[in-house]
Amino acid sequence: MAPIDIPSFADKQLKLLAAELSAELEETALLTATHAPSTLARAGLAVLNLSVSAQRTGLGGKSLIELSLDPAIAGTETQLPEHGLRVGDIVGVSEQPKGAEKKKERQDMEKKQIQGVVVKVLREIIVVALDKDEVDIPGGKLWLMNQTMTKLLKMPESEHSTLMRVLFGQSSAVSVQPRDMAGELEWLDPSLNDSQKEAIKFALATPEVALIHGPPGTGKTHTLIELIRQCLKKGLRLLVCGPSNISVDNIVERLSPHKVPMVRLGHPARLLPGVLNHSLDILTRTSDAAALVKDIRNEMDAKQASIRKTRNGRERKAIYGEIKELRKEYRQREAACVSSLVRESKVVLATLHGAGGFHLKSQEFDIVIVDEASQALEAQCWVPLLTSGASKLILAGDHLQLPPTIKSSNSKSTKQNPKTGPDGSNLETTLFDRMLELYGDDIKRMLTIQYRMHEKINAFPSAALYESKLMAAESVKARLLKDLPYDVEETEDTNEPVVFWDTQGGEFHEKTDDDDEPKSKSSLLGESKSNELEAAIVKKHVQSLVDAGVKAEDIAVVTPYNGQLAVLSQLLKEKFVGIELGSIDGFQGREKEAVVVSLVRSNAEHEVGFLAEKRRLNVAMTRPKRHLCVVGDSETVGRGSKFLKSWMEFLEENADLRYPDLDDILHDE
Ligand SMILES: Nc1ncnc2c1ncn2[C@@H]1O[C@H](COP(=O)(O)OP(=O)(O)OP(=O)(O)O)[C@@H](O)[C@H]1O
């Protein structure tokens, strides 16, 4: 594989990120007048809907602009949404395209972007010092974008670390030899399985970059906990990140019983209550070092009180002076307290964008670990990589499940426009994907025992996607609904791990939601499809599970189409209180005892749309523990792709097959 040029990679990513933002804005502008959370905003890479609330000249004659939420959009809400921008971040500010703007106009706006550095971040404002003195500040609604990629673009070659060069294929990754992994490790967790142990040994032995490939339910986090503890035994310092707060908190919670010296960065209001005692903000107030800070606070309060008692103007002025000095000291001590807490922590945990914070400035780490790496945009992963100075990266994820959602069509890998390779010209390509494309399977180890699914549910994904290496653990391989720890009757459903309701025959036809609606609106909802008769079969199946005693909260129904979700909600939500209904994409990372998948597509043209994405199907079929029920038209679906054809064949041979009777269904309705 040819080495990748870093500046041109960063440049392509920057253009794609800008296009992605435009695409999202276009969509939200048409759907609603107010702003909706977007992928980039959620990823901490952008803040939308801002306006300039003040402008002044700062040190060195630089223009400073103060940005806050545009009141025309935000109404009474003044607090900025979570954004991850920190003092020192390079940002671009530009006019926010309106949905109606033509592509050319939008591109012109992007060109007019002005660059600057964040100098102040408060709850309600962000102040940016502009790079150039005389610039036209754009009018109207603005957006601001984190420019980690700009940093990468502008970084001189002499500053590129060995790890960076390896990540771009400019130096090759040193491959790990069996002898490097030969020594016996003393395992801290006796329950680890062999593939987990192998992955840990591999990650420890790898000099630069290692991938831990964790298919559904295989204990990625379980493995990372042992890996972190083993690294600590070797005296290494770690920066551990994930794309979401919950992914990071999950690790903090599981490390906590092991008394690891760690600190979690991030606003306490966004952390799980169970991890608060590791939050940097909280520790700054409660630790021993905090006592010194508190003493000064008390002294300041006492002085403040004495002012009220003093009538003499000169004395008052003197006390004010003293308070000012004390305040300075207070700030210094607080900063020292924070920095010593961080310095003493062998493990620092933060979201990917949170890792860009000033707390980590001049902090050195040996290794960056990213959990759920195949759900993160590559631009996000570069935040901890650029701040940490680490020489090694460990990514844990599963590239065979869904990547982060991308809206801009010029970045999406579609059938007509297949993946364009690892050169940065596709936002959907994650760092995890790119490493696999660059170095192949030698760079990863796969976890092969899953602790979720019955072996019959496991069989197809294992064979079709995981080279038949994925096995069900002894403890789960034969679990059925009838064995649930509460009273469930033995029926043909509760005794069966995989059921397929095949609607072939053309009677259960799909409906396109724009059949009776204006096209533009429905295409925004993802050209949504629904299938009411199929939904009726779902209802019948759920009813029979519930009649057998399965609790509604142990059942989930998932579908790829929002249109079908709306139909299912109407039919099931009130009748089966506690049942979970969701899109397949939204259910990634979750599990349920029983899962019903409604495939929707049934048409004479054999069009399957969204279903052609095998990573989506993989997510759908790997959510259940004890019972998977698929409802769909094998004639339509089976002709969608090779993968779909083999899935339909598998179901026909292995599932408990059911053919619905239309009269029956209509009668039940
Ligand atoms: N070696 C093991 N022995 C027994 N149980 C295990 C082992 N490894 C993982 N598990 C169990 O498997 C389940 C999934 O593990 P964990 O939560 O660590 O995985 P995850 O990576 O977060 O999940 P997923 O891979 O599905 O995203 C947990 O209930 C965990 O206790």
Side-chain angles (χ1 to χ4, degrees):
M1 181 80 59
I4 299 157
D5 180 57
I6 299 179
S8 94
F9 177 94
D11 189 44
K12 280 183 194 138
Q13 289 271 302
L14 276 171
K15 293 206 172 89
L16 290 173
L17 288 165
E20 173 66 9
L21 204 54
S22 299
E24 283 176 350
L25 290 167
E26 189 173 352
E27 186 162 303
T28 50
L30 282 178
L31 271 180
T32 58
T34 56
H35 88 287
S38 73
T39 316
L40 295 183
R42 264 200 314 271
L45 294 173
V47 194
L48 315 180
N49 299 319
L50 297 168
S51 66
V52 177
S53 45
Q55 185 178 355
R56 62 198 145 85
T57 308
L59 275 179
K62 286 215 171 217
S63 283
L64 299 180
I65 53 170
E66 181 185 293
L67 299 160
S68 51
L69 276 184
D70 187 339
I73 296 154
T76 51
E77 179 57 68
T78 52
Q79 281 205 14
L80 296 167
E82 186 179 9
H83 53 72
L85 289 176
R86 300 289 189 274
V87 173
D89 279 352
I90 305 174
V91 289
V93 185
S94 50
E95 198 173 331
Q96 193 161 301
K98 294 184 200 72
E101 242 117 28
K102 304 245 161 45
K103 195 169 170 203
K104 163 97 180 50
E105 288 165 11
R106 289 213 305 271
Q107 282 168 346
D108 286 348
M109 280 179 178
E110 275 153 26
K111 271 193 215 124
K112 275 197 226 137
Q113 190 185 69
I114 49 175
Q115 296 227 333
V117 175
V118 176
V119 290
K120 191 176 202 173
V121 177
L122 298 178
R123 240 179 246 181
E124 298 176 343
I125 58 163
I126 295 176
V127 180
V128 176
L130 302 180
D131 280 358
K132 296 207 184 95
D133 294 343
E134 307 267 321
V135 282
D136 267 348
I137 313 271
K141 219 175 2 165
L142 305 175
W143 59 270
L144 200 135
M145 187 136 134
N146 176 313
Q147 306 232 318
T148 299
M149 280 292 144
T150 309
K151 254 187 239 172
L152 201 59
L153 180 76
K154 294 187 173 164
M155 188 182 272
E157 216 177 302
S158 56
E159 286 178 25
H160 293 170
S161 64
T162 307
L163 175 62
M164 278 177 73
R165 285 202 300 275
V166 168
L167 295 180
F168 288 106
Q170 297 177 350
S171 316
S172 40
V174 177
S175 57
V176 177
Q177 303 301 322
R179 72 182 127 81
D180 303 326
M181 294 168 54
E184 268 309 304
L185 273 184
E186 212 174 292
W187 299 107
L188 299 165
D189 175 352
S191 77
L192 294 166
N193 68 49
D194 287 348
S195 69
Q196 293 171 331
K197 288 180 181 168
E198 163 85 7
I200 294 166
K201 277 186 162 185
F202 175 72
L204 288 172
T206 304
E208 291 116 1
V209 51
L211 269 46
I212 296 181
H213 179 197
T218 49
K220 259 182 296 107
T221 315
H222 198 82
T223 308
L224 285 186
I225 300 298
E226 175 80 13
L227 176 64
I228 292 169
R229 295 174 70 200
Q230 291 289 348
C231 287
L232 291 178
K233 266 192 7 188
K234 288 175 177 282
L236 297 165
R237 187 158 190 245
L238 314 173
L239 177 56
V240 182
C241 302
S244 60
N245 276 308
I246 192 81
S247 63
V248 181
D249 283 353
N250 191 7
I251 300 179
V252 178
E253 273 190 328
R254 286 157 78 165
L255 272 179
S256 186
H258 304 298
K259 307 269 171 276
V260 169
M262 64 174 163
V263 60
R264 163 75 158 102
L265 307 187
H267 197 288
R270 301 195 185 100
L271 311 188
L272 289 181
V275 312
L276 280 180
N277 51 345
H278 298 288
S279 142
L280 179 61
D281 283 39
I282 304 285
L283 287 172
T284 309
R285 274 176 255 152
T286 56
S287 66
D288 292 347
L292 272 173
V293 182
K294 221 165 156 189
D295 286 350
I296 300 210
R297 181 87 252 174
N298 292 341
E299 216 178 310
M300 276 160 68
D301 288 346
K303 294 258 182 241
Q304 201 67 266
S306 71
I307 285 185
R308 263 174 258 133
K309 291 187 204 132
T310 318
R311 299 228 170 267
N312 180 321
R314 262 193 34 211
E315 276 178 29
R316 286 183 130 203
K317 204 171 163 202
I319 301 177
Y320 271 127
E322 286 169 35
I323 292 181
K324 205 172 153 196
E325 280 305 305
L326 280 173
R327 189 170 294 133
K328 215 161 114 192
E329 168 105 18
Y330 174 75
R331 291 222 180 94
Q332 278 168 357
R333 283 201 195 178
E334 192 182 52
C337 171
V338 167
S339 112
S340 84
L341 279 168
V342 176
R343 226 178 319 116
E344 283 157 21
S345 298
K346 283 297 205 177
V347 186
V348 175
L349 301 107
T351 55
L352 288 163
H353 65 260
F358 61 92
H359 294 314
L360 295 187
K361 256 199 182 141
S362 68
Q363 295 280 331
E364 295 275 322
F365 293 88
D366 300 297
I367 304 179
V368 170
I369 298 180
V370 182
D371 196 8
E372 294 188 6
S374 31
Q375 288 250 281
L377 295 170
E378 171 150 1
Q380 273 180 293
C381 294
W382 279 98
V383 177
L385 282 171
L386 289 183
T387 40
S388 66
S391 53
K392 175 160 159 177
L393 171 67
I394 297 167
L395 300 173
D398 181 11
H399 56 293
L400 300 170
Q401 295 182 59
L402 287 163
T405 317
I406 302 300
K407 297 211 166 82
S408 45
S409 53
N410 52 346
S411 179
K412 255 187 205 162
S413 57
T414 59
K415 260 192 168 166
Q416 295 78 13
N417 173 23
K419 268 194 195 166
T420 34
D423 64 349
S425 52
N426 189 329
L427 276 190
E428 221 181 34
T429 304
T430 62
L431 181 56
F432 195 100
D433 291 327
R434 216 163 60 65
M435 290 305 99
L436 277 177
E437 281 190 55
L438 263 178
Y439 296 112
D441 286 353
D442 284 356
I443 201 172
K444 78 163 163 103
R445 287 295 183 272
M446 184 170 116
L447 310 180
T448 55
I449 307 221
Q450 59 82 10
Y451 297 85
R452 175 183 299 157
M453 298 166 268
H454 186 282
E455 59 185 350
K456 210 161 166 185
I457 304 174
N458 176 75
F460 182 77
S462 176
L465 293 161
Y466 300 107
E467 301 167 25
S468 298
K469 288 182 184 153
L470 189 59
M471 306 291 197
E474 279 298 320
S475 53
V476 305
K477 69 188 239 194
R479 283 188 315 194
L480 291 164
L481 287 177
K482 71 175 171 64
D483 310 319
L484 274 167
Y486 53 85
D487 217 7
V488 176
E489 213 182 303
E490 189 170 335
T491 66
E492 57 171 2
D493 297 322
T494 61
N495 210 4
E496 182 54 57
V498 185
V499 169
F500 180 32
W501 281 95
D502 189 351
T503 64
Q504 62 166 290
E507 286 175 322
F508 290 76
H509 214 271
E510 73 189 36
K511 177 173 165 235
T512 302
D513 283 1
D514 66 0
D515 284 353
D516 38 32
E517 274 182 42
K519 196 167 174 70
S520 59
K521 194 172 163 210
S522 74
S523 66
L524 277 173
L525 296 169
E527 50 166 44
S528 217
K529 308 271 177 199
S530 59
N531 192 327
E532 285 181 15
L533 289 172
E534 190 177 297
I537 303 173
V538 173
K539 182 176 163 196
K540 187 180 158 81
H541 193 79
V542 170
Q543 183 72 60
S544 79
L545 293 179
V546 170
D547 288 347
V550 180
K551 290 181 184 162
E553 62 256 37
D554 283 334
I555 306 173
V557 180
V558 297
T559 177
Y561 289 97
N562 285 339
Q564 182 71 345
L565 201 52
V567 173
L568 288 165
S569 288
Q570 274 210 331
L571 219 51
L572 307 174
K573 214 168 182 169
E574 278 176 25
K575 190 163 172 55
F576 305 106
V577 177
I579 194 169
E580 266 202 73
L581 310 171
S583 67
I584 296 174
D585 299 40
F587 222 72
Q588 181 149 322
R590 306 276 318 281
E591 60 182 21
K592 275 278 167 179
E593 301 293 352
V595 176
V596 184
V597 184
S598 169
L599 296 178
V600 180
R601 302 311 300 258
S602 176
N603 54 66
E605 298 76 32
H606 309 298
E607 274 175 18
V608 295
F610 275 179
L611 288 177
E613 171 57 84
K614 55 183 168 184
R615 292 174 295 186
R616 179 165 290 113
L617 291 170
N618 184 26
V619 171
M621 67 179 82
T622 55
R623 297 310 96 199
K625 295 187 191 174
R626 300 167 193 251
H627 181 82
L628 168 66
C629 169
V630 181
V631 189
D633 174 353
S634 65
E635 259 167 18
T636 300
V637 176
R639 300 222 209 155
S641 67
K642 238 168 92 181
F643 181 82
L644 282 166
K645 181 166 181 268
S646 59
W647 188 35
M648 290 299 115
E649 283 168 4
F650 173 87
L651 289 175
E652 273 157 26
E653 278 162 33
N654 297 281
D656 184 14
L657 270 182
R658 317 259 172 96
Y659 296 99
D661 181 338
L662 188 62
D663 289 340
D664 231 25
I665 299 288
L666 289 173
H667 180 74
D668 283 356
E669 288 258 283

